């Protein structure tokens, strides 16, 4: 399996998990006020963590898959809007051909707005930068919801793992 195929499956799972977590938050008594919640004053609120998770997936598709998608940098104002953005990102992941990604050893270069510049191999970018960024913001969203009293646990963070459940061997 190529790094691109594995990454695309991972991003599909990440977006599914994010959508699931948002659904759980939606049912909480605090409702859409949760979108403004944050873990610490110097951290971004839930709506931004959701947006950043989605954006990191789309930026990766652009950078590695030669896609020309724009990201929506506006605040997410409702759970319905969050679900809609996730759905669009899922469609983009599904529409991405892993064969369009550069070879694992090809160099990927990018600059950040703060002036930092990076150069790494495509598989390193995917593994060490892009996927890590996605998980960071997904976990921040999870932690905000959990801290606000939403009834979620590890099974909600890793719901796709249940497809691998099997009956234990007889003792």
């Amino acid at each position: 399996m190529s790094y691109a195929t594995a990454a695309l499956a991972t991003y599909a799972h990440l977006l599914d998990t994010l959508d699931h977590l948002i659904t759980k938050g939606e049912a909480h008594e605090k409702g859409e006020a949760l979108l403004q919640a944050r873990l610490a004053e110097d951290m971004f609120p839930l709506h931004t963590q959701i947006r950043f998770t989605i954006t990191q997936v789309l930026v990766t598709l652009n950078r590695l898959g030669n896609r020309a998608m724009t990201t929506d940098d506006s605040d997410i104002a409702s759970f319905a809007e969050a679900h809609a953005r996730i759905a669009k990102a899922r469609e983009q992941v599904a529409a991405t051909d892993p064969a369009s990604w550069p070879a694992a050893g090809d160099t990927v270069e990018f600059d950040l707005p703060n002036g930092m510049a990076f150069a790494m191999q495509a598989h390193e970018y995917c593994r060490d930068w892009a996927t890590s960024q996605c998980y960071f913001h997904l976990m921040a969203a999870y932690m905000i919801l959990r801290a606000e009293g939403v009834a979620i646990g590890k099974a909600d963070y890793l719901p796709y793992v249940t497809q691998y459940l099997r009956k234990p061997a007889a003792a």
Side-chain angles (χ1 to χ4, degrees):
M1 174 184 305
S2 72
Y3 84 98
T5 300
L8 291 168
T10 297
Y11 298 145
H13 287 318
L14 284 166
L15 292 168
D16 289 346
T17 297
L18 182 60
D19 200 51
H20 172 74
L21 293 173
I22 291 166
T23 298
K24 297 284 268 199
E26 214 168 5
H28 192 269
E29 64 188 27
K30 293 182 182 176
E32 292 191 340
L34 287 171
L35 292 169
Q36 300 304 320
R38 60 181 77 215
L39 289 173
E41 191 56 38
D42 66 342
M43 291 183 73
F44 290 109
L46 178 61
H47 69 87
T48 305
Q49 300 297 347
I50 294 167
R51 179 170 54 90
F52 285 173
T53 304
I54 297 165
T55 297
Q56 288 300 322
V57 170
L58 297 177
V59 165
T60 301
L61 297 182
N62 283 342
R63 209 168 263 154
L64 295 178
N66 296 315
R67 305 292 298 261
M69 296 171 286
T70 57
T71 58
D72 186 344
D73 294 332
S74 65
D75 288 344
I76 292 173
S78 68
F79 287 122
E81 183 180 352
H83 287 300
R85 288 196 199 183
I86 292 167
K88 285 182 183 177
R90 282 174 165 160
E91 290 170 7
Q92 294 299 325
V93 169
T96 300
D97 179 2
S100 70
W101 285 27
D106 287 357
T107 300
V108 174
E109 295 183 21
F110 61 99
D111 299 331
L112 298 180
N114 66 4
M116 295 174 75
F118 293 87
M120 57 190 81
Q121 293 181 351
H123 76 95
E124 293 168 330
Y125 168 79
C126 188
R127 180 194 66 211
D128 299 337
W129 181 269
T131 303
S132 299
Q133 295 290 330
C134 292
Y135 274 117
F136 175 86
H137 294 292
L138 177 63
M139 180 49 79
Y142 170 90
M143 292 185 308
I144 291 168
L145 290 169
R146 181 77 189 242
E148 290 295 318
V150 176
I152 53 176
K154 190 173 186 177
D156 296 295
Y157 185 75
L158 299 169
Y160 52 87
V161 173
T162 59
Q163 69 183 317
Y164 305 109
L165 281 175
R166 62 174 180 81
K167 281 186 161 182

